[in-house]
Amino acid sequence: MALYKVAPKNPYYFWAVMSIVMQAHMSDSKLSCTMYLPLAERMIAKMVKENKLEGEAELKLYIMVLEKSGKRQQALDFVNGLLEASFLGTPGSRWNFYLTKKAELLLRMERYSESNAIYRQLLLDDPDQWQYYQDYFTSMFALVDINWTPDETTQSVSCDYTVELALVFIEQGIAREEAKSSKKLRGPYLACLELLQLLLKRNHSAASRLASPLEQIKQYFTIFGDKNCCFSDISNYLYMLESETDKFLADILTSLGLNGENTEDMLAKEPKIMQRHVCYLAVSRRLGKHCLSHQEKLRLAEELIHRHREGLTLGTDLLTTDLQYSDNYCLLAVHLLYDAWCESGDQLLLWTICALLESALKSSPSNFHIKLLLTKIYSYLGIYGPSVGIKLELRHIQFDTLGYMCFHPALKVGHYSAWKSVLTEALLFFSTNFKDTSEYIISAYKYGSFTKVYEFVQFRQRLNDSLQFALLNVEKNICDLILETSNHQSAEKVLTSMDIDPIIDECKWEDLRDNRDLDVMLTWDPPHSCLTHEQRHLSFTEQKQWLRLRNLTVRALTAAMLLPALPLSHESTTSQAVNGGGTNMCDALLSLHDQLKQHVEELETEHTCERRYSLQGPFCTLIYPFVTGRHGALLLQFLRVVQCCFFLQDDTGKLETSDLQMLTLEIDESMKLVIGRVSEGIIVEGNGQQQFSASTLTQAVLAVETLSHGCLLLGVCDKLLQPLRPVTGRKKSKKKEETVQQATQLLSEFSSLLVRMETFAQELLNAVSADAISMEMQQLNLKTTPSSDMIEDVWKKAQFSYSLSYKQIRDVIETKRKYLASLKPQSSKQPH
């Protein structure tokens, strides 16, 4: 308002109004309705009264304020009055704000006859606008439900208040399209299908007046079957065919003319016919006709592969940025082969899928559906797609919506450098989110797009509350703890730079949002095989469980690292305040240990088997391999060692040295279990042949992570026990003899634990090296397979990914061995 007082221009005035509206959005409903919105309304009403409204944005802002205040009648009066005369749009334009806003308000006010009349007029002007049809049907059925009939005051309203009138209106729309010699619009035909569906759901007798579902869908396919949108348009109505599905498919196939006995007669000679055939195959799969025997699936897949290769000849003139006409043949074949793999477990099918997709990608390098499928199938085989040339090239918001396709596979196979790189790049997007959206908001204010201001604010908040953002933050912390800590001093620096408060959980669990795009991958599966709402929710819950596990781990490690900074006397620690609070770091560590233990136990109870979602669905987290590999138990035991050393370093005697001995034995047993899982080998026997076990590679990755956390916690113990070493070298008085003896025994137990940890690291290194050797030997076996010519190139890429995984895993293990070596000289200083 200060700017407006200096220079009384409308933009300055409405900036102030919009700021008040934004305060209303951010405040609780009571304060918003009693103060902010009424104030904004009065400010704009003053300008309306003085006839000072100048732009379309100012009109829309007033309507928005009135709607937020619940004053729909007043908003309607404004639309009917000043807005009708002032709006710059012309009647009949594609986006007629005046009419659409009026119809929307009337529909919300349950004035269905007037609303229906307007939507009817809008559909006459624009018969391909689907939202108009939906609101038209909503208002029409509302009138039918209340048995509305026109009276003297409403006779002038031209609305369709019965099903019969709606039938006539829709049939007239189709008739107008049929009379066209030019391109036909899809809207009227889909509206007829939608009306039939609504009538059937209501068991309305008028449904018999419309053409049958078979006739309507056949007609739609005849007109629009060569369009990419045909399948998605009719897929929601296919269930209405019921017992006529076989006749429908047979009629379509006959119309295509591709069912001849000759091989050449079976191939499409032009792209439009090919697209129709692809749509036919997609509809067949949606109707469950691909539920075949194993051999039938393989034969059909082989036929589709042949069609794909022959179809490439029709796309020789396409640009590299264009998709090949026959790409979907390949994708359908891949889905069939994937179904066969799910049933048989024959891993050679996965290798064949990769070879097919790699070949298709060479002909159609811009097809992102192929890239996404390759990334997922490679992940099943323990291969990181981007490392072998499958570049998803994520940009901006895609880090949030599609980032899950990169983050999880990199960690799962131990590609630490790629994992760190993609985490850093994604976090850079999220960290600049506030700055970028602030610029968008400023631009919206500057150019008067007030309705967009709230959208940008909501967008920013959605990113801030993103589950991916929260997960990326904690994963980056763990990544740094694994890769950037070669000794305890570097570990302290890394944790200090993270600036984590272990006492306060900064994650807003209730506000987390799942922004992943789980519909990006093509699927033609029957509805019961597609990703369901329950599965999406289950995946979201699983992701939050994994986030909580990582969150507690990082906070517990941080609390442990801060313990050596506390005073030696336990009594003094109880009064030590942390961050101005009354809780000390020792109690925080105990609490985090208990929370982590409880969470791990819950995960062990819930995740008794590995989950698998549909091919289009998300990846599973690493919870199942984490709990089955006993990594949580080992981490908890290390945390208890830290607690034990902390209490044994003072004179309280809260714990006995025997507790540390028992812990050492428990840790030894857990280490044997972890090594046992890693030593199972990446080559396993399955279906009478040798197969790669990606789960073993994942176990190695988790074992390395546990090793890293264990090194850090042993470094904490070493620092905690440093004050005891001078005691063991002094002359023993009778009073101190017991203390010195306890200290000597404690240091001896810690030295034993350190030696066992070094042995664990060596055993892990040996197991990983043995897997790398067996992986190289497996190449000979793959060369003898029937599909060796297709798989050879894929195997070279796989070998590169595997070798990179094992190299980076070994590098991390070697770094942790140096970490342990840096502790050993200090811990071995015993009195002579």
Side-chain angles (χ1 to χ4, degrees), residues 276-329:
R276 288 179 179 274
H277 189 236
V278 167
C279 185
Y280 158 77
L281 292 168
V283 170
S284 299
R285 184 171 178 85
R286 175 54 63 93
L287 292 173
K289 301 305 179 181
H290 284 185
C291 296
L292 309 169
S293 67
H294 183 75
Q295 290 301 322
E296 287 174 331
K297 287 178 181 176
L298 295 183
R299 283 196 295 270
L300 181 54
E302 187 177 354
E303 176 192 330
L304 295 177
I305 293 168
H306 176 68
R307 289 182 182 276
H308 168 251
R309 289 174 179 168
E310 293 298 323
L312 293 176
T313 59
L314 299 178
T316 53
D317 296 334
L318 293 175
L319 300 175
T320 56
T321 53
D322 294 331
L323 306 187
Q324 285 290 335
Y325 301 122
S326 63
D327 279 350
N328 283 353
Y329 278 137

Side-chain angles (χ1 to χ4, degrees), residues 82-358:
L82 181 62
L83 180 58
E84 182 178 2
S86 305
F87 191 69
L88 301 178
T90 57
S93 63
R94 181 170 178 79
W95 303 112
N96 194 322
F97 178 78
Y98 161 63
L99 285 178
T100 54
K101 177 54 68 175
K102 183 176 180 179
E104 179 186 335
L105 287 169
L106 289 169
L107 187 62
R108 291 182 180 179
M109 296 169 65
E110 300 182 357
R111 292 166 62 172
Y112 300 119
S113 58
E114 298 169 77
S115 174
N116 182 268
I118 295 176
Y119 281 122
R120 193 178 189 280
Q121 181 59 46
L122 287 170
L123 285 171
L124 290 173
D125 296 335
D126 184 7
D128 208 31
Q129 181 56 246
W130 185 244
Q131 185 60 48
Y132 293 164
Y133 282 110
Q134 291 181 311
D135 292 333
Y136 168 79
F137 289 138
T138 299
S139 58
M140 184 271 293
F141 279 114
L143 291 172
V144 170
D145 291 339
I146 61 177
N147 295 317
W148 184 90
T149 54
D151 54 25
E152 294 180 357
T153 60
T154 58
Q155 284 182 354
S156 60
V157 179
S158 178
C159 67
D160 296 334
Y161 56 91
T162 65
V163 172
E164 288 72 19
L165 289 173
L167 288 173
V168 172
F169 178 71
I170 296 299
E171 288 171 349
Q172 289 175 347
I174 292 178
R176 284 191 292 271
E177 292 302 315
E178 291 293 324
K180 282 184 180 179
S181 58
S182 58
K183 178 181 176 182
K184 293 180 173 59
L185 300 177
R186 296 151 49 214
Y189 297 93
L190 284 175
C192 192
L193 273 169
E194 180 68 14
L195 179 58
L196 177 60
Q197 177 179 245
L198 294 171
L199 291 174
L200 289 174
K201 287 181 178 179
R202 288 170 165 256
N203 293 319
H204 201 288
S205 59
S208 59
R209 287 187 51 186
L210 291 169
S212 68
L214 175 63
E215 294 173 353
Q216 287 199 43
I217 297 176
K218 279 176 59 178
Q219 180 189 34
Y220 193 88
F221 183 88
T222 301
I223 301 173
F224 304 106
D226 57 344
K227 308 296 182 184
N228 289 326
C229 60
C230 182
F231 172 78
S232 58
D233 285 346
I234 65 176
S235 60
N236 293 327
Y237 306 107
L238 292 174
Y239 75 93
M240 294 192 296
L241 292 171
E242 297 178 343
S243 61
E244 296 182 307
T245 55
D246 291 336
K247 184 179 187 310
F248 168 70
L249 293 173
D251 290 348
I252 289 181
L253 186 59
T254 301
S255 68
L256 293 174
L258 300 179
N259 54 350
E261 297 180 0
N262 220 334
T263 305
E264 291 300 321
D265 295 337
M266 295 174 62
L267 300 176
K269 301 298 189 298
E270 55 182 85
K272 288 190 174 182
I273 296 178
M274 182 184 296
Q275 181 57 49
R276 288 179 179 274
H277 189 236
V278 167
C279 185
Y280 158 77
L281 292 168
V283 170
S284 299
R285 184 171 178 85
R286 175 54 63 93
L287 292 173
K289 301 305 179 181
H290 284 185
C291 296
L292 309 169
S293 67
H294 183 75
Q295 290 301 322
E296 287 174 331
K297 287 178 181 176
L298 295 183
R299 283 196 295 270
L300 181 54
E302 187 177 354
E303 176 192 330
L304 295 177
I305 293 168
H306 176 68
R307 289 182 182 276
H308 168 251
R309 289 174 179 168
E310 293 298 323
L312 293 176
T313 59
L314 299 178
T316 53
D317 296 334
L318 293 175
L319 300 175
T320 56
T321 53
D322 294 331
L323 306 187
Q324 285 290 335
Y325 301 122
S326 63
D327 279 350
N328 283 353
Y329 278 137
C330 179
L331 296 177
L332 281 163
V334 165
H335 279 76
L336 283 165
L337 293 174
Y338 179 81
D339 292 344
W341 170 72
C342 290
E343 295 172 357
S344 66
D346 184 1
Q347 198 178 82
L348 183 58
L349 291 171
L350 290 184
W351 291 102
T352 304
I353 288 174
C354 292
L356 287 173
L357 292 173
E358 286 282 6

Side-chain angles (χ1 to χ4, degrees), residues 644 648 655-664 745 749:
C644 186
L648 285 174
L655 294 175
E656 298 294 336
T657 310
S658 58
D659 294 317
L660 185 57
Q661 294 174 347
M662 292 177 61
L663 276 173
T664 303
Q745 188 176 358
E749 287 297 331

Side-chain angles (χ1 to χ4, degrees), residues 462-481:
R462 182 163 186 156
L463 287 179
N464 288 338
D465 295 338
S466 169
L467 171 67
Q468 290 293 321
F469 184 28
L471 194 55
L472 287 171
N473 271 319
V474 70
E475 292 287 2
K476 181 61 167 61
N477 291 337
I478 291 178
C479 178
D480 289 341
L481 288 174

Side-chain angles (χ1 to χ4, degrees), residues 21 24-25 32-33 37 63-71 454:
V21 174
H25 284 308
S32 172
C33 295
L37 289 176
I63 296 173
M64 182 176 72
V65 171
L66 292 173
E67 285 188 281
K68 292 292 181 184
S69 302
K71 298 181 179 180
Y454 181 63

Side-chain angles (χ1 to χ4, degrees), residues 312-518:
L312 293 176
T313 59
L314 299 178
T316 53
D317 296 334
L318 293 175
L319 300 175
T320 56
T321 53
D322 294 331
L323 306 187
Q324 285 290 335
Y325 301 122
S326 63
D327 279 350
N328 283 353
Y329 278 137
C330 179
L331 296 177
L332 281 163
V334 165
H335 279 76
L336 283 165
L337 293 174
Y338 179 81
D339 292 344
W341 170 72
C342 290
E343 295 172 357
S344 66
D346 184 1
Q347 198 178 82
L348 183 58
L349 291 171
L350 290 184
W351 291 102
T352 304
I353 288 174
C354 292
L356 287 173
L357 292 173
E358 286 282 6
S359 176
L361 191 59
K362 290 179 181 178
S363 305
S364 187
S366 298
N367 194 320
F368 68 94
H369 294 296
I370 296 177
K371 293 181 180 180
L372 291 172
L373 267 176
L374 258 176
T375 301
K376 177 153 281 192
I377 301 300
Y378 270 144
S379 180
Y380 292 157
L381 291 167
I383 302 167
Y384 184 50
S387 71
V388 293
I390 312 303
K391 305 297 184 184
L392 296 181
E393 299 176 352
L394 302 184
R395 296 289 184 272
H396 200 63
I397 191 63
Q398 290 176 331
F399 282 114
D400 193 23
T401 58
L402 296 178
Y404 68 94
M405 295 294 295
C406 294
F407 310 143
H408 172 83
L411 170 61
K412 179 182 176 183
V413 301
H415 279 223
Y416 293 111
S417 57
W419 183 40
K420 181 178 181 179
S421 176
V422 72
L423 289 176
T424 303
E425 191 175 1
L427 282 172
L428 179 62
F429 157 70
F430 282 104
S431 62
T432 58
N433 164 43
F434 188 87
K435 174 179 177 295
D436 291 343
T437 49
S438 296
E439 292 177 358
Y440 303 151
I441 293 171
I442 292 171
S443 297
Y445 270 108
K446 180 178 179 181
Y447 296 107
S449 301
F450 299 116
T451 56
K452 294 296 179 184
V453 173
Y454 181 63
E455 292 180 23
F456 288 135
V457 172
Q458 289 291 91
F459 174 74
R460 178 170 64 189
Q461 191 59 44
R462 182 163 186 156
L463 287 179
N464 288 338
D465 295 338
S466 169
L467 171 67
Q468 290 293 321
F469 184 28
L471 194 55
L472 287 171
N473 271 319
V474 70
E475 292 287 2
K476 181 61 167 61
N477 291 337
I478 291 178
C479 178
D480 289 341
L481 288 174
I482 295 174
L483 301 182
E484 306 297 332
T485 54
S486 56
N487 52 54
H488 197 65
Q489 290 73 26
S490 61
E492 289 177 328
K493 290 180 181 178
V494 168
L495 275 171
T496 301
S497 65
M498 292 178 185
D499 194 23
I500 298 172
D501 187 343
I503 298 174
I504 301 175
D505 186 0
E506 297 181 352
C507 185
K508 300 178 181 178
W509 297 97
E510 298 301 322
D511 297 333
L512 289 178
R513 302 186 56 146
D514 189 1
N515 296 334
R516 294 174 299 170
D517 185 356
L518 301 179

